[in-house]
Amino acid sequence: MGAGRSENDLRRRVRGIFPGANPLRRRTDYFEPVALLVVVLIAVVTVVASIVIAQSELRDRLGEADREQAAKHQVVATVVAEVGNSGGNAQRPVAVRWGQPPDEHFAVIELPARTPAAGTVPVWLDQQGQLTAPPLTRAEATQAAGLAGAGVLIGSAMFTGVALAGVRLFVTRRRLAAWAAEWEKVGPQWRNHAS
């Protein structure tokens, strides 16, 4: 007896998801199961795409970091003087010196405003001995890859949410219009029957 009840419950649940030939069912009533299937498919494709894009970005950025690490080297420069006024900016210009005479070099670099303007600071030089930006680190490469993957996920979620809301609004309006048209036919019969 219990097996028959569980079979009926299962049939009813399957019919709820995939309804049969119900004469009262409209085409717009199929929206929820189809929308759920489409959203699940989009979510799976988005997750796979975000992983692929993040891995590709990580591979590219790590290669770039390795190239930059090989092409640049760090030296310690001595702060010579402050140059100009920072004007309340987060960065301030300072003059630095590195190397020994006669191969001494000078440059103006930007330091964070809270860093003391005395002592030594690390600077990066390219293969020609020119001042350059620090090389990309592995942590920055990983962060860029994570941001790329997250951007795909967030962008897809936003697009899917807006599209689903728009389609749901359209389907709801169609349902209400169909209901109003049917009520125009049936309503007078109910009014006459009630009196």
Side-chain angles (χ1 to χ4, degrees):
M1 187 166 223
R5 182 178 296 164
S6 64
E7 286 177 14
N8 288 336
D9 289 343
L10 180 61
R11 281 188 198 143
R12 189 176 33 215
R13 288 184 182 162
V14 169
R15 282 187 192 140
I17 296 172
F18 302 105
N22 184 342
L24 299 177
R25 188 168 291 274
R26 296 181 189 95
R27 287 187 323 188
T28 55
D29 293 336
Y30 292 101
F31 172 73
E32 278 81 13
V34 171
L36 177 62
L37 180 64
V38 169
V39 167
V40 167
L41 287 175
I42 289 172
V44 169
V45 168
T46 300
V47 168
V48 170
S50 69
I51 290 171
V52 168
I53 289 171
Q55 288 297 320
S56 174
E57 183 74 16
L58 181 62
R59 187 174 46 254
D60 294 344
R61 293 291 181 120
L62 286 177
E64 181 182 342
D66 291 341
R67 285 189 299 277
E68 286 187 9
Q69 291 285 346
K72 299 177 180 183
H73 64 280
Q74 185 180 20
V75 296
V76 177
T78 304
V79 176
V80 177
E82 285 197 49
V83 180
N85 187 2
S86 66
N89 293 334
Q91 301 280 328
R92 71 169 191 275
V94 294
V96 295
R97 166 182 66 83
W98 69 93
Q100 299 297 324
D103 194 28
E104 193 172 32
H105 297 281
F106 291 90
V108 175
I109 63 169
E110 297 282 332
L111 283 182
R114 296 177 187 244
T115 304
T120 60
V121 293
V123 295
W124 289 89
L125 305 177
D126 60 16
Q127 292 176 335
Q128 289 78 30
Q130 300 297 318
L131 198 61
T132 186
L136 184 68
T137 64
R138 295 183 79 75
E140 291 169 335
T142 304
Q143 182 180 16
L147 286 173
V152 171
L153 286 175
I154 292 170
S156 177
M158 289 175 58
F159 177 78
T160 303
V162 168
L164 182 63
V167 172
R168 171 163 274 173
L169 179 64
F170 174 75
V171 169
T172 300
R173 287 184 177 173
R174 293 278 309 261
R175 282 180 180 165
L176 291 175
W179 182 86
E182 289 175 7
W183 183 250
E184 286 294 322
K185 294 176 188 172
V186 175
Q189 295 172 0
W190 278 85
R191 280 187 228 119
N192 292 337
H193 181 66
S195 37

